[in-house]
Amino acid sequence: GTYSLRVYEMSLKGEGQILLELEKLKKQLQQEGLFDISKKRRINIYPTAIGVITALHSAAQKDIVTNLKRRYPIADIYVFPSAVQGDNAAKELYEAFMLSQQYPLDTLIIGRGGGTSEDLSAFNDEKLVRAVANSKMPIISAVGHEIDTTLLDLVADKRASTPTGAAELATVDQREIEQRLSDVIESLKTNLQNNVGDLIETVSSYKESLIEEIDDMISNKQNIILLKKERFNSLSPLGIVSRGYSITMNQDNKVISSIDKITEGEEIITLLSDGQITSQVKHKKERK
């Protein structure tokens, strides 16, 4: 025989119901702005302290810690162990996160290796996601594989596809720093050499300019001295004599400027341009 069914109501059960509730929570958190790009914080890639929340002694812990130490060994690393799947995972993750907030961390990494959607369900816990949204420090999520997206990935400041990738996002590689320092040193050396060369050229130019100025100054001084000498000679007795005049002096070599200063019979000396004449005064007559 045959029979028919009339369906009045349908509802999801099991995994379908979980996905429906997850999507509903996702939309609610998105509407509240927890996933806004504007709220994402910059990661300090030169940290002094980094926190890691993951399963103790797991491959994820080993990958994260090993790469952090390799890339940036001067940073302190704090591990906050927690279950990452199972019934207690959400509770332990939340407690580990709240404990991490008591430490002066620059960055906090929350991660684990890959797994099924059910394995990653703890990272969709509403209480955990809301707490992470109010974190004191930037959060890097490294949960599952790149194709798996949890609510923690959406609320975190940065998302890494692997635990190793999280370590790379959290720090700069010390080898890059060493290379940058080497480049800076080489640049400084080159600039210093160029500057020294420029300085030598500048000093040499100043030296030549200074020598020219000194030569000009000496030449000007010599010309001034020569002019003064010529003026002095023109005004000196010898200069007067050289122009055709004569100078008369007594026996004491004093210039006779008036007939009152000589007596008849006195010997006098007359200077000429080419010699002198000694004579005796026979007679003197005052000019009227």
Side-chain angles (χ1 to χ4, degrees):
T2 61
Y3 70 93
S4 62
L5 295 175
R6 182 174 293 178
V7 179
Y8 293 97
E9 182 180 351
M10 292 181 64
S11 61
L12 295 173
K13 295 294 183 181
E15 185 176 355
Q17 180 65 27
I18 293 174
L19 292 176
L20 181 63
E21 292 176 356
L22 177 61
E23 188 63 27
K24 181 179 178 181
L25 176 59
K26 177 181 176 181
K27 289 182 179 180
Q28 179 183 342
L29 297 176
Q30 189 170 16
Q31 289 175 353
E32 293 179 19
L34 269 66
F35 306 150
D36 288 355
I37 299 297
S38 61
K39 294 183 179 180
K40 305 300 182 185
R41 289 166 292 185
R42 184 187 299 273
I43 304 297
N44 177 13
I45 60 174
Y46 302 98
T48 56
I50 301 174
V52 180
I53 297 178
T54 191
L56 189 63
H57 304 311
S58 63
Q61 177 188 336
K62 181 179 179 181
D63 288 346
I64 294 172
V65 173
T66 299
N67 281 283
L68 287 177
K69 289 182 177 180
R70 175 182 60 82
R71 290 174 58 83
Y72 202 71
I74 64 174
D76 294 326
I77 302 173
Y78 296 85
V79 177
F80 304 93
S82 169
V84 293
Q85 68 183 61
D87 295 338
N88 293 325
K91 178 176 179 293
E92 290 189 23
L93 285 169
Y94 175 80
E95 291 175 349
F97 174 79
M98 296 307 294
L99 178 61
S100 72
Q101 298 299 289
Q102 301 176 26
Y103 287 75
L105 305 175
D106 293 289
T107 307
L108 177 64
I109 298 173
I110 305 176
R112 58 155 292 163
T116 65
S117 298
E118 184 178 355
D119 293 336
L120 306 180
S121 61
F123 297 91
N124 292 319
D125 181 72
E126 181 179 0
K127 188 176 181 180
L128 173 65
V129 173
R130 289 188 179 278
V132 169
N134 294 311
S135 173
K136 294 180 179 179
M137 71 285 296
I139 304 295
I140 298 176
S141 68
V143 180
H145 300 294
E146 193 167 2
I147 59 174
D148 305 313
T149 301
T150 65
L151 297 182
L152 178 68
D153 294 323
L154 297 176
V155 78
D157 297 284
K158 285 286 185 180
R159 181 193 179 189
S161 58
T162 63
T164 299
E168 293 174 350
L169 287 176
T171 59
V172 65
D173 195 327
Q174 66 173 350
R175 291 171 295 185
E176 294 179 13
I177 298 177
E178 292 170 356
Q179 184 60 50
R180 291 178 188 175
L181 288 175
S182 177
D183 293 342
V184 169
I185 291 173
E186 288 301 319
S187 177
L188 288 175
K189 286 182 179 179
T190 301
N191 290 336
L192 182 59
Q193 291 172 351
N194 292 337
N195 290 338
V196 169
D198 293 341
L199 182 60
I200 292 175
E201 290 182 5
T202 301
V203 170
S204 177
S205 176
Y206 283 152
K207 178 182 177 181
E208 293 177 0
S209 177
L210 184 60
I211 291 174
E212 290 179 0
E213 290 182 7
I214 292 175
D215 288 342
D216 291 341
M217 187 182 301
I218 293 174
S219 178
N220 290 335
K221 292 294 183 181
Q222 288 176 338
N223 290 335
I224 292 173
I225 292 173
L226 183 60
L227 289 174
K228 288 184 176 181
K229 180 180 178 181
E230 291 177 353
R231 177 177 291 182
F232 175 78
N233 289 336
S234 67
L235 298 176
S236 69
L238 293 178
I240 295 173
V241 169
S242 66
R243 295 198 299 273
Y245 297 93
S246 64
I247 299 175
T248 302
M249 299 181 297
N250 59 21
Q251 292 297 314
D252 296 327
N253 290 326
K254 292 182 179 180
V255 175
I256 300 172
S257 59
S258 172
I259 62 174
D260 294 334
K261 294 182 179 181
I262 58 174
T263 59
E264 293 181 355
E266 182 181 355
E267 287 188 352
I268 58 175
I269 300 171
T270 302
L271 294 179
L272 302 174
S273 62
D274 56 352
Q276 66 181 36
I277 299 173
T278 302
S279 57
Q280 188 177 40
V281 178
K282 297 291 186 178
H283 176 71
K284 65 178 184 176
K285 181 179 180 181
E286 184 177 354
R287 185 174 60 186
K288 296 182 180 180

